[in-house]
Amino acid sequence: MSEAAATAFADAVEAALPDEVVDVDGSALVTHRPPAAPAPRDHRTKLLAAGIAVPVVALDVFLGVAGRLEYALTFWIAFVVTAVGGLLAGDMGQDLYRMWRLPRYGITVTAESWHKAYGSWVYRYRDTTGVLHTYKTRSVLASKELSYDPRDPKVAIHHEGAPARCGTAFITLLGCGMAGGGLFGIGWLVLEALKG
């Protein structure tokens, strides 16, 4: 570029700029909201526990009164099998859903190994806003790639292979079978108690 062309360019830029720069105070446009205090702990857990406990105890009393004492005792075995199966199906089913959804629709980041605590490896990652989160796993991650939910960055999953997904699906089906078998047993006990 010649000196004349550079001078012409500089003159054109200076001519396009305003003569005076007005000092603008943008402090009036800034708002500050202090972080909201955590919401008070609601009593949904207690209500849910009471909503489950009252019908369960009432059903057990019914089985003991209308049926026999053995029905009332067997009911608790069937109830525990149903509860464990439901928890397994719910927990593993949620993990299975996350294994499918988060790698496709979540945000994938590289996690840094932080430390080992109580037999679990702890990894750290940052979300898009820069907030630091932790992720625990029992296995040492080779790729250290995590996918997290953009709506809730604390929910993350590391990329699993097909054997892990198949194992999780098997445990989910096992939990469904346990819950179904337990419910079938409770239904059978109720029918026997109704027969007299």
Side-chain angles (χ1 to χ4, degrees):
M1 179 181 288
S2 67
E3 184 178 341
T7 304
F9 176 76
D11 290 341
V13 169
E14 284 182 18
L17 293 174
D19 293 334
E20 284 186 33
V21 177
V22 179
D23 204 14
V24 178
D25 182 19
S27 63
L29 302 173
V30 176
T31 59
H32 173 70
R33 286 187 305 224
R41 190 177 182 105
D42 59 342
H43 300 289
R44 278 188 242 169
T45 306
K46 291 179 183 177
L47 288 174
L48 180 64
I52 292 173
V54 169
V56 165
V57 171
L59 185 58
D60 186 48
V61 170
F62 166 76
L63 290 174
V65 172
R68 298 190 309 221
L69 180 61
E70 296 84 25
Y71 293 168
L73 296 176
T74 307
F75 166 77
W76 288 108
I77 296 171
F79 178 74
V80 167
V81 169
T82 302
V84 170
L87 290 174
L88 264 179
D91 193 37
M92 292 294 123
Q94 189 176 39
D95 282 350
L96 192 62
Y97 174 71
R98 288 177 182 161
M99 285 179 195
W100 173 82
R101 183 181 179 276
L102 291 182
R104 288 170 178 79
Y105 303 109
I107 297 174
T108 302
V109 294
T110 302
E112 300 172 0
S113 178
W114 190 23
H115 67 277
K116 187 174 182 180
Y118 305 108
S120 296
W121 292 93
V122 181
Y123 292 85
R124 296 189 302 184
Y125 65 96
R126 291 190 185 275
D127 62 17
T128 54
T129 61
V131 177
L132 192 65
H133 301 280
T134 58
Y135 177 78
K136 292 181 186 176
T137 180
R138 293 219 173 259
S139 60
V140 179
L141 301 180
S143 65
K144 298 179 186 162
E145 280 192 349
L146 302 176
S147 293
Y148 68 86
D149 191 343
R151 294 171 297 180
D152 188 7
K154 295 183 297 290
V155 176
I157 195 111
H158 66 277
H159 296 196
E160 297 276 7
R165 288 193 300 267
C166 290
T168 305
F170 174 75
I171 294 173
T172 303
L173 291 174
L174 179 67
C176 289
M178 288 175 64
L183 286 174
F184 177 79
I186 292 172
W188 181 82
L189 288 171
V190 169
L191 287 176
E192 289 296 315
L194 288 173
K195 286 179 185 176

